[in-house]
Amino acid sequence: MLDDAHRWERQQVRRIASWDSPWVRHGLPVVESAAERTRLWWGAAALMASLGGPAGRTAAVRGLVSMGVAELLSNTVAKQLVRRRRPPAHLLHHANVQRRPASSSFPSGHTAAATAFATAVARHSPWWGAAVAVPATMVAVERLHTGAHYPSDVTAGTAIGLASTWLTHHTHWLSASLRSNLPSRRCPPA
């Protein structure tokens, strides 16, 4: 059964890597380059914070916090626990084969960060969330197209991103709830 799943994933890598259209050839690399080292998400957060008013600032901060948790969970924890080689180069028939990272393939840290940022932003500002969902989805597709990841790596990255958003939301809710239940430390009137 594992052999069948692995064979299916290799077929998907080969199929997605063979996509050849102007949108794929030109659009995906631009988004991927912008998403390197999370620059795209920091830039989006700066734009939201400057143009989005209080809701935009809240969405930007929550997006960055969620993204940071996703990066920690995917790159520092999961990649160290699961060592998986990248898809073999012979499955790919384009120039991006040489640009693949040497780190573990599982999970996709790019996808985890993109998903966490987009979903956390959408919780606080649906309009900004919709705007960043497009490049977040493009990042996930690009990770498959360049052969940097198997579909299960991208799926796991998505799950980590969603879990990071849930965790940061509930941690914030819990800390806010605890703060509101603490006794007030007001100074008595003089």
Side-chain angles (χ1 to χ4, degrees):
M1 186 153 169
L2 283 176
D3 286 340
D4 290 341
H6 189 64
R7 189 174 307 114
W8 179 85
E9 284 206 295
R10 290 170 67 104
Q11 290 170 346
Q12 298 312 307
V13 167
R14 181 178 305 210
R15 187 174 64 79
I16 295 169
S18 70
W19 290 351
D20 189 29
S21 72
W23 178 81
V24 169
R25 278 195 317 272
H26 303 293
L28 291 180
V30 169
V31 171
E32 192 274 335
S33 178
E36 278 299 313
R37 304 206 188 313
T38 65
R39 288 186 309 238
L40 177 60
W41 315 122
W42 282 96
L47 191 64
M48 282 184 264
S50 63
L51 300 177
R57 286 189 289 280
T58 299
V61 169
R62 298 284 172 78
L64 292 174
V65 169
S66 185
M67 179 186 69
V69 171
E71 290 264 295
L72 177 73
L73 292 175
S74 63
N75 296 332
T76 306
V77 177
K79 281 187 185 285
Q80 304 311 311
L81 294 174
V82 180
R83 303 298 299 164
R84 183 180 195 187
R85 289 188 173 159
R86 303 282 172 168
H90 73 271
L91 297 177
L92 313 171
H93 302 289
H94 50 70
N96 291 333
V97 174
Q98 305 307 320
R99 297 182 340 153
R100 297 178 314 146
S103 62
S104 176
S105 179
F106 186 89
S108 170
H110 284 79
T111 303
T115 301
F117 184 82
T119 55
V121 165
R123 284 189 74 88
H124 299 284
S125 175
W127 188 89
W128 284 107
V132 297
V134 172
T137 302
M138 290 174 72
V139 165
V141 170
E142 184 278 337
R143 301 314 288 162
L144 294 167
H145 182 259
T146 60
H149 292 285
Y150 289 101
S152 60
D153 302 335
V154 172
T155 302
T158 300
I160 289 171
L162 293 171
S164 298
T165 298
W166 182 89
L167 182 65
T168 55
H169 173 74
H170 287 284
T171 302
H172 173 74
W173 173 82
L174 179 62
S175 66
S177 176
L178 289 173
R179 276 194 311 267
S180 68
N181 290 324
L182 289 175
S184 174
R185 291 190 172 188
R186 294 186 187 155
C187 295

